[in-house]
Every structure is written in C-alpha cells, then in structure tokens.
Amino acid sequence: ELQNWKAAIVLDFEVTIAGKTYTVYVIMGVDRTGNLSVLGIYLCEGKADEAFWLKVLSHLRSIRGIGSLGLLIHDGENAIINPMARIFPNDELLDIAGYADEAAYRRARYNALSTVTDQPESVLAELEAFESEMLELLVQEYETTEAVQTVLDPIRSSVCF
C-alpha cells in the first residue's frame, strides 16, 4: 500500500566537506493528523539540478512507497518543478522563497501548513526544532561524505512510517 501525505516540506542545509560546499536535503512529510516524519535525507554536491530531483522523487515513489506528497512546500528549488510534474503529477508545488525577513517567511510556512492541517502552529514548532538540531549537527566542516553520512544515519533510521 502506498503512503499518502497531506504535505511535504523540502529543507536544505549547507555543509562543507573537504573544502567543498554540499547541500543536505531533508524531505519532511505531514500526515492527516499533523504528525511530521522524515521521508528522506539526500546529499548533493552544490545545489540540486533536475537530475538530482528526479532521482530523489523516484526514490520516494518507488523505494519509499509514497503515492502522494500532497502539497510540496519548497524554498526556491526551481529544479524540482519538472521532476515533480513527472513523478507526482497530481500533487501541488508551493514556492515560499523570497521573503524579506524571518517573520514573513515563518508566516508563509504557517499559511501553507494551515491548508493541510488544523494544527499548523505545532507542526511549525516541531519543524523549526528539527531545523535547529540539523543546523547544530552540520555546522562543522567534515573531511569526507562518509563522515556526514554517519551523522545523518541516526536521523534516517528514525523515519516514522
């Protein structure tokens, strides 16, 4: 049976590995009851292109067994648009990039979440706490991608569905 989500949120975190910039992408799902779960964690050198997102979304569909992401909330990830239309053609995208300050960005996230759950404040608080933990984990420079994967593995193993 395929898993269907009310929403998915793309989080991105920069990490330095052996002097190069990588991006850790975390896809979080929001279920019918407003629970937040890690759907996947992916490492990309630099910023993601369409080929990267095609692999990620295909992995979520075929390996993770996700039938629908519902509303995919992202922050300026334009390279996700075509792969999303191909892999999850019935789902929607919402770009919340471009807000001038943190308060406006938080309101945009809150408004997006309020369309899929009656508990947007608690989902947003949980999401922000997760982001804070991830930032603390990824603040240092790593020598190898394996070192970063070792840090991310416990988070991957806590996937909740």
Side-chain angles (χ1 to χ4, degrees):
E1 176 181 330
L2 295 176
Q3 297 287 325
N4 293 312
W5 298 86
K6 295 295 285 180
I9 303 152
V10 176
L11 306 176
D12 60 286
F13 306 92
E14 281 192 3
V15 63
T16 303
I17 304 171
K20 292 183 180 178
T21 301
Y22 286 74
T23 305
V24 174
Y25 289 97
V26 180
I27 314 299
M28 303 291 289
V30 180
D31 70 12
R32 286 186 286 287
T33 60
N35 293 316
L36 201 57
S37 297
V38 175
L39 303 182
I41 300 176
Y42 307 92
L43 184 62
C44 178
E45 187 172 351
K47 289 295 275 179
D49 58 12
E50 283 191 18
F52 173 83
W53 284 116
L54 189 59
K55 286 180 201 172
V56 166
L57 296 173
S58 294
H59 177 261
L60 291 173
R61 167 74 86 188
S62 59
I63 306 299
R64 300 294 310 199
I66 295 174
S68 173
L69 294 173
L71 175 65
L72 182 72
I73 303 164
H74 66 100
D75 186 3
E77 293 295 332
N78 293 329
I80 203 170
I81 295 169
N82 290 331
M84 185 71 177
R86 184 170 165 192
I87 305 298
F88 293 102
N90 297 320
D91 293 349
E92 297 179 53
L93 283 164
L94 178 62
D95 185 350
I96 58 168
Y99 288 92
D101 60 50
E102 191 62 35
Y105 180 72
R106 189 175 195 282
R107 261 192 318 281
R109 285 175 123 182
Y110 176 89
N111 291 339
L113 290 168
S114 68
T115 67
V116 296
T117 179
D118 58 356
Q119 303 288 325
E121 191 61 45
S122 64
V123 173
L124 187 57
E126 188 177 346
L127 183 66
E128 290 170 343
F130 177 84
E131 284 179 305
S132 180
E133 289 173 25
M134 287 294 292
L135 287 170
E136 286 180 31
L137 283 175
L138 298 172
V139 70
Q140 69 183 22
E141 181 168 342
Y142 293 87
E143 293 299 317
T144 65
T145 56
E146 290 78 18
V148 174
Q149 297 293 3
T150 301
V151 170
L152 297 175
D153 282 344
I155 299 164
R156 278 193 188 95
S157 66
S158 71
V159 172
C160 305
F161 72 96

